[in-house]
Amino acid sequence: MVKICCIGAGYVGGPTMAVIALKCPSIEVAVVDISVSRITAWNSDQLPIYEPGLDEVVKQCRGKNLFFSTDVEKHIAEADIIFVSVNTPTKTRGLGAGKAADLTYWESAARMIADVSKSNKIVVEKSTVPVKTAEAIEKILTHNSKGINYQILSNPEFLAEGTAIEDLFKPDRVLIGGRETPDGQKAIKALKDVYAHWVPEERIICTNLWSAELSKLAANAFLAQRISSVNAMSALCEATGADVSEVSHAVGKDTRIGHKFLNASVGFGGSCFQKDILNLVYICECNGLPEVANYWKQVIKVNDYQKNRFVNRVVSSMFNTVSGKKIAIFGFAFKKDTGDTRETPAIDVCKGLLGDKALLSIYDPQVTEDQIQRDLSMNKFEWDHPVHLQPMSPTTMKQVSVVWDPYEAAKDSHGLCILTEWDEFKTLDYQRIYDNMPKPAFVFDGRNIVNSQKLREIGFIVYSIGKPLDSWLKDMPAVA
Ligand code: UDX
Ligand code: UDX
Ligand code: ADP
């Protein structure tokens, strides 16, 4: 029986290994993590991450050929294939701070593999890492090899949160990069055989190590770039009276462009896009390519601009002040169908409004109060360095309340900001909400999901990203 061990039971490692276990009954999969609470949760009925369909997959395999454990050493020692799926935060200090990836967790995982291995291993990079990390890992392993043969592969994961199980069941492609030596090719074949249990052969792409590593950064950068492109257009649409949805539709019909990932929004979030682009920028700078670095930097600048623009629109619409005014925040997760708040645009929008002394009442169906308070107390990039966590300042505590009911959040608020596209926000009783708000009552739809015409008929003043402006908003221009 082939044995797989995955180091890191997070958003990537957990779902990916659960699906491998489901699709390959002949393979034993152990997912290990240094976090006891995470592993306890994976072994309970309340999984540590919310992901549609994940519960059923885990229930079917857990205890049969899928195990979650904190005994990292034992499972590494026993495995034939080791996936490394630990976190790679952005460095907060030292060389490359704010841009480069912090490979501390990676290095410690590699050293642990070198320490405990007694047989040949295939080591698979699963988490996104800077190009040439595989080389560094290879060096750590071979310099401590004790005669063991290590083959390093890069097998980046392309799943998106909220659709992880669907993406894993039917991936557009599986990418495997390895050395061009006979041993390297043998290792690629071994990993290919795992995926071949359910992925058609033509969807499994094999490349050299560096191409695989760079493809992951490139794919995320291209996706983020599309969003920044459409968001940049949204600002121009508001200025000219064009409608960004109509523009996106027309542009996306060109088969060379395609219709996906062209939804204007308050900005992109998530643990990958910004981090991977910053990483790409850093790699370009280190390789003496400032023009290329600046090109990609702009994608992040436009994203920051979009979030600022939204805050400014809210403040300017309300007579240039939100001080002491209650504002409801609908949605805090970085997208629907996940409880993940890493790099969510809601953090910057809320901080912007808090900076203007607004009182926020926040509702999200999947995010806990504790998480929201932690997010609003953190500085940039601290989210994956939990040790630096600051308690929320008492003034901020007074300004923020987290509630479990959207109607309660909206009651007595001057405006609603929709920051996550949860389906339930489309079908709320907006008449009831309107009746319990001071007038004029505003809706700022950062995801373009509500029926703005209907809301206007009720009496709301509605702002939708990139759509023709209500006369009220035209008279109160926002400056970004
Ligand atoms: C373009 C648009 O495609 C067309 O829809 C519009 O109506 C007019 O502008 P055109 O300029 O005739 O058409 O040719 P196109 O095939 O788009 O190529 C434009 C340039 O991009 C060429 O120099 C081409 O060599 C280059 N190109 C195209 C690349 O360098 N790489 C590519 O992948 C595609
Ligand atoms: C992304 C990539 O899609 C995935 O392939 C990679 O493995 C990890 O990073 P994820 O961050 O989970 O996945 O979600 P994604 O669906 O890509 O959304 C990222 C952000 O972009 C979200 O905040 C989303 O709301 C936003 N977005 C997406 C838009 O604003 N407009 C769009 O059209 C699409
Ligand atoms: P991702 O979104 O890439 O899956 P996460 O932060 O969700 O990232 O998960 C990474 C996991 O890796 C965390 O649960 C963390 O505790 C774990 N981890 C980090 N370093 C090690 C290590 N050396 N050994 C085992 N687990 C580790």
Side-chain angles (χ1 to χ4, degrees):
M1 198 181 206
V2 175
K3 285 196 176 180
I4 288 179
C5 171
C6 174
I7 310 178
Y11 284 91
V12 173
T16 312
M17 293 304 123
V19 168
I20 290 184
L22 181 78
K23 299 289 186 183
C24 313
S26 60
I27 296 179
E28 190 180 297
V29 183
V31 189
V32 298
D33 204 296
I34 39 175
S35 160
V36 177
S37 61
R38 255 207 167 160
I39 291 298
T40 308
W42 278 109
N43 281 320
S44 75
D45 285 339
Q46 195 67 47
L47 300 184
I49 60 178
Y50 172 71
E51 192 61 70
L54 177 64
D55 282 32
E56 291 84 80
V57 176
V58 171
K59 269 191 199 129
Q60 280 184 62
C61 315
R62 198 171 51 194
K64 291 183 191 144
N65 66 333
L66 176 66
F67 303 92
F68 296 94
S69 166
T70 48
D71 196 345
V72 183
E73 301 188 5
K74 170 177 169 266
H75 290 286
I76 290 178
E78 289 176 356
D80 306 293
I81 303 177
I82 300 165
F83 286 85
V84 185
S85 194
V86 301
N87 26 346
T88 47
T90 304
K91 279 183 86 169
T92 48
R93 57 187 68 183
L95 196 65
K99 277 186 278 197
D102 177 348
L103 291 174
T104 315
Y105 300 101
W106 246 101
E107 187 174 336
S108 93
R111 290 189 186 280
M112 166 84 80
I113 297 173
D115 279 351
V116 305
S117 293
K118 294 193 183 66
S119 56
N120 294 347
K121 308 280 179 210
I122 297 173
V123 177
V124 186
E125 277 181 347
K126 201 64 181 153
S127 34
T128 313
V129 285
V131 183
K132 301 240 157 165
T133 299
E135 197 166 55
I137 302 309
E138 210 169 33
K139 283 195 178 123
I140 294 178
L141 293 174
T142 48
H143 279 87
N144 298 282
S145 78
K146 301 170 283 188
I148 291 169
N149 181 290
Y150 292 105
Q151 280 304 318
I152 318 293
L153 299 178
S154 165
N155 170 222
E157 183 47 60
F158 293 101
L159 68 80
E161 286 174 36
T163 53
I165 298 300
E166 224 176 294
D167 295 342
L168 287 163
F169 280 180
K170 281 189 167 202
D172 286 345
R173 79 304 210 181
V174 166
L175 181 57
I176 304 175
R179 287 282 182 205
E180 283 138 325
T181 58
D183 279 347
Q185 294 302 305
K186 228 170 96 187
I188 290 178
K189 165 88 173 47
L191 186 57
K192 203 172 162 185
D193 287 346
V194 172
Y195 286 106
H197 280 82
W198 79 99
V199 181
E201 176 144 13
E202 66 277 8
R203 292 202 177 196
I204 306 180
I205 306 172
C206 300
T207 66
N208 75 30
L209 266 179
W210 325 134
S211 300
E213 285 182 330
L214 186 57
S215 299
K216 171 67 185 197
L217 292 181
N220 278 342
F222 277 44
L223 289 170
Q225 181 207 40
R226 281 173 78 90
I227 302 168
S228 279
S229 298
V230 77
N231 281 346
M233 282 298 161
S234 75
L236 187 56
C237 286
E238 286 166 32
T240 57
D243 179 328
V244 77
S245 303
E246 293 176 354
V247 174
S248 287
H249 180 71
V251 169
K253 279 286 175 193
D254 187 324
T255 52
R256 295 170 299 179
I257 298 171
H259 66 276
K260 291 183 182 167
F261 260 70
L262 287 180
N263 292 324
S265 66
V266 59
F268 60 74
S271 69
C272 288
F273 283 177
Q274 168 153 313
K275 194 164 74 177
D276 288 353
I277 294 176
L278 286 172
N279 211 210
L280 194 61
V281 166
Y282 184 66
I283 295 169
C284 293
E285 285 172 351
C286 291
N287 281 285
L289 303 169
E291 288 79 4
V292 186
N294 287 336
Y295 174 78
W296 289 111
K297 245 187 233 168
Q298 205 57 30
V299 172
I300 292 178
K301 282 194 187 158
V302 169
N303 199 45
D304 288 338
Y305 165 77
Q306 188 75 347
K307 291 181 273 189
N308 280 334
R309 218 164 67 73
F310 188 88
V311 172
N312 292 349
R313 183 68 79 185
V314 175
V315 177
S316 68
S317 314
M318 296 184 183
F319 314 101
N320 266 326
T321 175
V322 289
S323 178
K325 290 179 184 165
K326 181 177 172 186
I327 295 178
I329 303 292
F330 281 11
F332 199 82
F334 82 98
K335 64 190 275 197
K336 74 168 179 175
D337 292 339
T338 176
D340 193 355
T341 60
R342 292 179 293 176
E343 297 283 350
T344 175
I347 294 177
D348 287 342
V349 169
C350 288
K351 281 186 175 173
L353 294 172
L354 289 171
D356 239 289
K357 301 203 173 69
L359 307 175
L360 303 182
S361 186
I362 305 175
Y363 166 73
D364 187 290
Q366 283 297 335
V367 186
T368 60
E369 175 167 8
D370 189 44
Q371 183 64 48
I372 291 173
Q373 294 203 339
R374 255 183 290 154
D375 286 334
L376 293 179
S377 345
M378 267 186 245
N379 290 322
K380 234 174 160 45
F381 305 124
E382 279 181 354
W383 53 274
D384 50 5
H385 293 267
V387 276
H388 301 312
L389 273 192
Q390 307 283 329
M392 198 188 239
S393 79
T395 0
T396 311
M397 289 273 258
K398 270 195 216 137
Q399 283 176 264
V400 177
S401 69
V402 178
V403 296
W404 279 113
D405 173 49
Y407 297 101
E408 195 187 329
K411 190 169 180 300
D412 300 326
S413 69
H414 291 253
L416 320 176
C417 298
I418 301 174
L419 302 184
T420 313
E421 71 281 21
W422 287 102
D423 288 335
E424 65 179 70
F425 297 153
K426 293 181 193 164
T427 52
L428 293 173
D429 180 350
Y430 282 97
Q431 182 68 55
R432 178 179 158 199
I433 288 177
Y434 182 78
D435 292 343
N436 287 314
M437 289 171 72
K439 311 295 177 303
F442 298 86
V443 171
F444 303 93
D445 184 358
R447 298 287 181 168
N448 289 353
I449 57 159
V450 292
N451 183 332
S452 50
Q453 210 38 52
K454 272 201 183 144
L455 294 192
R456 287 190 182 110
E457 280 160 20
I458 291 173
F460 283 107
I461 294 164
V462 185
Y463 166 71
S464 310
I465 305 263
K467 304 270 185 169
L469 297 175
D470 286 11
S471 55
W472 180 287
L473 301 170
K474 266 193 209 152
D475 292 342
M476 308 239 175
V479 193

